[in-house]
Amino acid sequence: QAIEPMYEQARQAAGRAYAPYSQFPVGAALKLKDGTMLQGCNVENASFGLCNCAERTVIFSAIAQGKLACDFDSLLIYMPGDSLYSPCGACRQVIVEFFAADALIYATCDTEQMKVWRVDALLPGVFKLP
Ligand code: THU
């Protein structure tokens, strides 16, 4: 499916990143099944452990705006530069909580490269309550 619109949304969101400590802006776009897209960015803190990744920002924001996890279609992250990165473990646990096992997660940057994962490939043996 065309991910260019998600890419644009994520790139725009990266421009709003609050990342004075890492200088590593990240943007995220969450697409709902009806095509609606939400944006997120990383938000850092002088108390480093409180830094929040772009993925969690957009997922938490979506829930807070009343979006339903069952409507979450896919997630795309964007980092400027020519390297691709992947979601951290905290974000993977949060992604598994809210996305379907076959949902797709995309990683993009400023080159044509792209990585794609199925959600169920992100965190083998993920913790879930019975
Ligand atoms: N970070 C993301 O926002 N998304 C990722 O996929 C990887 C890392 C941010 C960048 C920097 O703010 C760091 O995590 C701080 O915890």
Side-chain angles (χ1 to χ4, degrees):
Q1 78 241 18
I3 64 155
E4 285 75 15
M6 289 179 80
Y7 179 79
E8 286 312 314
Q9 291 294 304
R11 232 159 54 103
Q12 183 187 50
R16 306 168 189 155
Y18 176 75
Y21 306 104
S22 69
Q23 297 298 313
F24 190 79
V26 183
L30 192 166
K31 189 165 80 169
L32 303 178
K33 288 189 169 36
D34 69 359
T36 313
M37 284 180 284
L38 299 158
Q39 296 171 295
C41 63
N42 50 327
V43 179
E44 297 185 347
N45 195 283
S47 175
F48 290 175
L50 300 179
C51 291
N52 202 64
C53 297
E55 299 91 320
R56 280 175 283 145
T57 298
V58 72
I59 290 168
F60 297 158
S61 302
I63 297 296
Q65 304 316 310
K67 307 305 181 188
L68 303 176
C70 60
D71 293 330
F72 288 9
D73 177 77
S74 51
L75 179 71
L76 181 144
I77 57 176
Y78 163 81
M79 286 89 158
D82 56 6
S83 301
L84 292 173
Y85 297 85
S86 57
C88 75
C91 290
R92 293 173 186 233
Q93 181 77 37
V94 173
I95 288 166
V96 166
E97 183 78 21
F98 293 109
F99 283 84
D102 64 347
L104 297 180
I105 308 300
Y106 302 90
T108 62
C109 61
D110 286 329
T111 66
E112 293 302 305
Q113 308 165 79
M114 182 171 71
K115 273 183 188 169
V116 193
W117 299 268
R118 270 174 58 110
V119 165
D120 60 5
L122 278 179
L123 196 56
V126 60
F127 168 76
K128 286 192 175 181
L129 286 174

